[in-house]
Amino acid sequence: MDLAVQPFVLESIPLAADTPKNALTVDVEEYFQVAAFERTIQRDRWDATESRVEFSTARVLDLFAAHGTTATFFVLGWIAERHPALVRRIVAEGHELASHGYDHTRVHQFTPEQFREDVSRTKGILEDISGVTVRGYRAPSYSINGRNLWALEVLAETGHVYSSSIYPIRHDLYGMPEAPRFPFRIRPGEILEIPVTTVKFGRNNYPCGGGGYFRLLPYGAFRWMLRRVNEQDGQPGLFYFHPWEVDPGQPRVQDAPLRSRFRHYLNLDSMHSRLERLLADFEWGRMDEVFGA
Ligand SMILES: [Zn+2]
């Protein structure tokens, strides 16, 4: 499985209206499962560490309910096994359930066989708990890029319909700047990859799909960029965030590197109100609804 990066087959998305609906996504994981803290809180300590995911995800669900918004939740298999009622609530409230892999191992740490085992197992766990079919997958830390495109083949073979695992930017931890900015297939008939939203200035792509950048930039700048994608590119945006970002009361991880802590804790206090503005300023929906995947 040695896939060449080029040529991409661009999948064009039919747009229903002048102002496209954007896709809202949530990666459901604990505050201590992020890559930034992986050396500080290792997997064998996860079960003994204070859990916040039910509280923080409930806060997200309440926010969406207040705005009448539905979204796609990419859930770790590890979380689903420990919090099945949370998974059922996500589905009961009209949201799409999708996979974030089992325990946040990044794709480049797997062999193809190990990856197949991870995504099959997670899909099975989520489907057994929820009773719905899981069609979407998002790689932990956007860890699919030009070096492991075989992962897209494995996802298709294990019954996934779309992936949202590539970030077409240059970044120290992830990214595939040469990838298309909008939904594409590696080859005809392959799985649909729906990249996180970027905005293009000159030759470079800049992140405008959420995460730490959404907390770092002034809200007005972020809104201007997403509008530019909707109006000038004529494409839906794809936004992502994590439940721990709306949980300023989470325990502080002290012994992680300074840069990791800066990124993780920046502006957590204002995240909830920023999201309220974002939900009010744009129209939002589930991945399968927005992209027809
Ligand atoms: Zn994640």
Side-chain angles (χ1 to χ4, degrees), residues 158-232:
T158 48
H160 298 82
V161 176
Y162 73 87
S163 158
S164 177
S165 304
I166 290 177
Y167 210 153
I169 55 162
R170 222 171 277 287
H171 183 282
D172 59 340
L173 301 179
Y174 48 73
M176 182 178 174
E178 70 277 24
R181 293 172 54 224
F182 299 111
F184 66 95
R185 297 179 198 274
I186 293 293
R187 286 193 299 241
E190 287 292 345
I191 193 169
L192 184 65
E193 169 60 35
I194 306 172
V196 187
T197 299
T198 54
V199 65
K200 194 173 177 94
F201 295 115
R203 284 192 186 169
N204 293 324
N205 299 338
Y206 296 89
C208 121
Y213 300 102
F214 181 68
R215 288 182 278 124
L216 177 68
L217 292 173
Y219 173 74
F222 189 89
R223 179 177 57 197
W224 181 82
M225 292 194 296
L226 186 53
R227 281 200 178 133
R228 184 179 157 109
V229 171
N230 285 167
E231 290 165 11
Q232 291 197 12

Side-chain angles (χ1 to χ4, degrees), residues 13-35:
I13 301 302
L15 298 174
D18 300 343
T19 306
K21 201 180 223 191
N22 297 290
L24 186 59
T25 70
V26 184
D27 294 354
V28 180
E29 60 201 38
E30 294 277 10
Y31 61 96
F32 53 80
Q33 292 173 322
V34 297

Side-chain angles (χ1 to χ4, degrees), residues 111-185:
T111 65
E113 291 67 33
Q114 289 168 331
F115 180 66
R116 179 185 304 272
E117 160 65 19
D118 182 275
V119 297
S120 301
R121 176 187 184 196
T122 304
K123 191 173 189 295
I125 291 168
L126 293 171
E127 291 179 346
D128 286 348
I129 290 170
S130 68
V132 299
T133 302
V134 166
R135 306 165 80 236
Y137 170 80
R138 170 167 293 150
S141 306
Y142 297 102
S143 53
I144 296 180
N145 58 37
R147 291 186 297 279
N148 56 9
L149 290 174
W150 51 259
L152 297 176
E153 285 192 342
V154 173
L155 287 169
E157 288 161 9
T158 48
H160 298 82
V161 176
Y162 73 87
S163 158
S164 177
S165 304
I166 290 177
Y167 210 153
I169 55 162
R170 222 171 277 287
H171 183 282
D172 59 340
L173 301 179
Y174 48 73
M176 182 178 174
E178 70 277 24
R181 293 172 54 224
F182 299 111
F184 66 95
R185 297 179 198 274

